[in-house]
Every structure is written in structure tokens, then in C-alpha cells.
């Protein structure tokens, strides 16, 4: 947020300076009203650029082991142009290096999903993905992990959510080569 504010103000000053130079260069034929108009247009343009480029810039900074699962766009009345082209405000990503499985239950994968929202802290959610059953469940307690490790977790024990064929979480978690197995996962 501070980057955006400083960038917008700096760009406003630069645009106003250029406009003032053009007013003086024209010998007064260009009205002085162009100076604040130029600053305002430059600041608004920077804000729009920042809105539309945030997701791409943030996703570009992710480590190579991360895969973006989905992006969520929205429109808002205070930014009417977003009704024509909605802006991406959040996305989810999977850390492929953190996918783990219990060798005794290879169809179940534990995945770390990161929920990235603009101007908010990143949330980390653990999901158990049933690769054979095309479903997922959120790990809500440390006990779920313990029971997954020892194999005592049952199909009815979690709030499973069915996933459609080709779902990005299902594909990414189940087709990722597994670097570790569940007994080595921190239970914190």
C-alpha cells in the first residue's frame, strides 16, 4: 500500500512538472489548468495499472515450486471500469514441494494451499485431497494430521467436498511427485 501511495504521488508530481514545462514552453497558450489535470490523470492511471497488474506481478514473484490454482476477479462501483474488465483481487496457489502422502494410503495427499489476497496477509490452508475419490477436506485440527499419518482417519470423519474432474487442486496435488511422506510433517 505504501508503494502504491508513494508511486502515485511521485508520478503526479512528474506529470504536473511536465505539464508546467509545456505551459511555459507554449508561452501561455496552454492553460495552467492542465497542470492539476495532468497530475490527477497520471495518479488515476497509476492506480488502474497497479490494480490490473497486481496479480501478475505477485504470481511472478512466487517460487518455481508454486502453481496457481485459481484466480478470483471482482468489480466494484467505485471503479466502474471493472464492470467491463474485472480486476483480480485474490488467488490461490499450491506449494508442490509441500505435498505429502502416507505410504500406507497413497491416494490421500496433504497439500498446503496459500490464499493470497491483495492488501491482506497470506493465509495458509492445509487440504487433504482424495485422489481416487475426487474430493478434498480442509484440515481443521492437528488431530486430523495425526489420524491421517496413522491411517485411522475415515471417509466420514471429515467434511469432504466433491471436486469436478480436472479441478486444479486435484490435478496439482495428485500429479505432483511427492518429496516427503506424512510422518515427517510438522504437526504445528
Amino acid at each position: 500500500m505504501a508503494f502504491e501511495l508513494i508511486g502515485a504521488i511521485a508520478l503526479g508530481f512528474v506529470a504536473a512538472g511536465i505539464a508546467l514545462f509545456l505551459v511555459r514552453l507554449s508561452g501561455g497558450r496552454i492553460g495552467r489548468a492542465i497542470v492539476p489535470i495532468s497530475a490527477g490523470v497520471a495518479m488515476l492511471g497509476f492506480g488502474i495499472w497497479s490494480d490490473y497488474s497486481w496479480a501478475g506481478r505477485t504470481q511472478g514473484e512466487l517460487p518455481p515450486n508454486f502453481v496457481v490454482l485459481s484466480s478470483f476477479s471482482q468489480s466494484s462501483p467505485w471503479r466502474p471500469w471493472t464492470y467491463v474488465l474485472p480486476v483480480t483481487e485474490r488467488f490461490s496457489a499450491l506449494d508442490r514441494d509441500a505435498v505429502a502422502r502416507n505410504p500406507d494410503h497413497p491416494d490421500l495427499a496433504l497439500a498446503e494451499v496459500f490464499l493470497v489476497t491483495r492488501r491482506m496477509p497470506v493465509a495458509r490452508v492445509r487440504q487433504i485431497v482424495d485422489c481416487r475419490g475426487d474430493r478434498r477436506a480442509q484440515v481443521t485440527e492437528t488431530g486430523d494430521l495425526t489420524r491421517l499419518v496413522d491411517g485411522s482417519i475415515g471417509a466420514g470423519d471429515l467434511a469432504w467436498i466433491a471436486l469436478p474432474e480436472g479441478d486444479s487442486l486435484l490435478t496439482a496435488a495428485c500429479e505432483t511427485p511427492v518429496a516427503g511422506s506424512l510422518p515427517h510433517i510438522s504437526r504445528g
Side-chain angles (χ1 to χ4, degrees):
M1 183 76 173
F3 160 74
E4 292 176 38
L5 182 61
I6 292 168
I9 291 171
L11 190 58
F13 275 113
V14 168
I18 292 170
L20 187 58
F21 175 74
L22 292 175
V23 167
R24 288 193 179 167
L25 189 64
S26 73
R29 287 185 295 246
I30 299 175
R32 292 182 64 84
I34 194 74
V35 175
I37 291 171
S38 297
V41 168
M43 292 169 69
L44 180 63
F46 179 81
I48 292 171
W49 169 84
S50 182
D51 282 348
Y52 282 102
S53 67
W54 168 82
R57 288 182 287 125
T58 305
Q59 291 171 5
E61 293 174 5
L62 292 174
N65 55 303
F66 275 71
V67 61
V68 175
L69 299 175
S70 56
S71 297
F72 305 94
S73 299
Q74 68 181 42
S75 302
S76 57
W78 57 87
R79 298 180 299 184
W81 53 87
T82 61
Y83 287 105
V84 176
L85 185 62
V87 107
T88 300
E89 290 288 335
R90 59 192 173 101
F91 65 89
S92 61
L94 172 76
D95 180 1
R96 288 183 287 194
D97 288 350
V99 174
R101 288 193 180 96
N102 182 337
D104 297 331
H105 303 280
D107 291 333
L108 297 178
L110 178 67
E112 302 240 16
V113 177
F114 293 83
L115 307 174
V116 183
T117 304
R118 188 165 188 208
R119 298 184 183 110
M120 300 290 289
V122 175
R124 186 174 96 183
V125 180
R126 288 184 173 164
Q127 301 279 322
I128 297 173
V129 180
D130 182 355
C131 298
R132 184 180 296 169
D134 294 342
R135 59 189 181 165
R136 71 170 174 85
Q138 185 169 328
V139 177
T140 55
E141 302 173 13
T142 305
D144 290 342
L145 288 177
T146 305
R147 293 172 52 220
L148 185 60
V149 169
D150 68 20
S152 66
I153 199 159
D157 294 341
L158 294 172
W160 290 102
I161 298 170
L163 297 174
E165 186 177 330
D167 180 77
S168 57
L169 173 61
L170 187 65
T171 302
C174 296
E175 293 180 2
T176 298
V178 179
S181 60
L182 286 176
H184 303 290
I185 289 178
S186 143
R187 292 188 177 104

